[in-house]
Amino acid sequence: MRHGKKFNHLGRTADHRRAMLANMAISLIMHKRITTTLAKAKALKKYIEPLITRSKDDSTNSRRVVFSYLQNKEALKELFGPVAQKVGDRPGGYTRIIKLGSRQGDAADIAFIELVDFDENMLKTNKAEKKTRRSRKAAPKAEAPVAEEAPAAVEEAPAAEEAKAE
């Protein structure tokens, strides 16, 4: 029965699954993008997103907690260094899964999983879109001059009434 099954067990024992996800997380941190099956990519996303969130706070405790999951000093340096700097202002959603189709041999669904802020192609297109699109913050600034013009029109009205009275 599947009662209480909250996550994909990936057909492995708990120790094997934990080791596999740790190895995949290290590879993702070091290479910024890896190719794997869709099921493993989804499991890895749930595994690594809390670790990246933890890396935003560079304290001894958070380093120890993340190291207990990864067991790799180089990956820890990379995570708390360049990765934490790039995702510092992002509220979540640090990874992206892109489906690639199915594998030739066993027809398993294959996907990329990548760190969002490290994809150069997407960053170039986002910068181009930001330059062409208007932001919501620009709209209230456009209304401000309209509000200033209204009092000027009110000041002209008494002058016109005085001219009529004479």
Side-chain angles (χ1 to χ4, degrees), residues 50-68:
L51 300 180
I52 297 173
T53 302
R54 180 73 73 158
S55 73
K56 288 182 180 181
D57 173 35
D58 191 5
S59 64
T60 304
N61 182 52
S62 54
R63 281 182 175 266
R64 286 178 176 170
V65 169
V66 173
F67 185 75
S68 72

Side-chain angles (χ1 to χ4, degrees), residues 134-151:
R134 288 186 355 186
S135 65
R136 292 181 184 172
K137 293 179 183 177
K141 290 179 184 176
E143 292 177 14
V146 175
E148 291 175 7
E149 291 174 10

Side-chain angles (χ1 to χ4, degrees), residues 27-45:
S27 296
L28 181 62
I29 291 167
M30 299 306 285
H31 301 291
K32 312 300 186 258
R33 173 190 273 188
I34 59 173
T35 305
T36 184
T37 63
L38 185 60
K40 287 181 188 175
K42 288 179 179 179
L44 179 60
K45 184 172 184 140

